[in-house]
Amino acid sequence: MNDRTPCINPRCRRTGPADEFPGEMICGKCFRSLPEGVRREHRRLWREIRKWERRIARTSDEMKIVKMHNIVTRLSWQLSRHWAQDIKPMFLVPEKPEGLDAFLEEMGL
C-alpha cells in the first residue's frame, strides 16, 4: 500500500501524505517555480472557495445555502480546469531545449 502521493513534476522526487493529498499534488518548490500569474490565479480560486465555504457554515437559510453551494461548485470546476489546463502541462510536457534540433524542427527540416 502506497501511503505517499508523488509530486506531479516527474523530475521532482518529493511526496506528500496520501490522506492529505489524495490523487495528485504539487510540492511547494515546484509550485513556486510556476509563473507568477498561474500561482496568483490558483491562490485566488482557493481563497474564493474557502470564503464561500465559511459563509455556508455560518448561515442557516436553506435557499442561501443552495445558492452558495452552486457558487462553490462553479469555483471548484474552475480550479480543476486551471489545474488540468495551466499547471499540469507545464510539468508533463517538457520545453524543447534551445539547440540545433529545435531550430531545424522549427524551420520544418
Side-chain angles (χ1 to χ4, degrees), residues 60-97:
S60 60
D61 184 8
E62 289 298 319
M63 293 298 287
K64 285 184 180 180
I65 290 174
V66 169
K67 287 180 183 179
M68 288 190 264
H69 272 298
N70 290 338
I71 293 170
V72 170
T73 302
R74 187 185 70 226
L75 288 168
S76 297
W77 180 80
Q78 288 176 352
L79 182 68
S80 63
R81 187 184 64 181
H82 181 257
W83 175 264
Q85 290 180 353
D86 297 332
I87 295 177
K88 278 181 71 173
M90 289 190 172
F91 294 110
L92 300 180
V93 179
E95 295 179 11
K96 291 199 179 256

Side-chain angles (χ1 to χ4, degrees), residues 23-74:
E24 297 177 320
M25 67 156 262
I26 184 169
C27 69
K29 184 176 180 181
C30 293
F31 184 75
R32 285 187 296 275
S33 71
L34 292 171
E36 179 63 31
V38 173
R39 289 184 291 166
R40 190 179 311 120
E41 178 66 12
H42 191 76
R43 288 183 185 129
R44 183 192 69 80
L45 289 168
W46 269 115
R47 242 188 333 267
E48 286 290 316
I49 289 171
R50 287 192 304 266
K51 176 181 76 174
W52 285 104
E53 287 175 345
R54 284 191 307 269
R55 287 180 179 179
I56 289 170
R58 284 194 310 250
T59 190
S60 60
D61 184 8
E62 289 298 319
M63 293 298 287
K64 285 184 180 180
I65 290 174
V66 169
K67 287 180 183 179
M68 288 190 264
H69 272 298
N70 290 338
I71 293 170
V72 170
T73 302
R74 187 185 70 226

Side-chain angles (χ1 to χ4, degrees), residues 1-6 15-19 21-23:
M1 180 78 185
N2 191 359
D3 60 341
R4 305 293 290 177
T5 303
T15 61
D19 57 340
F21 302 105

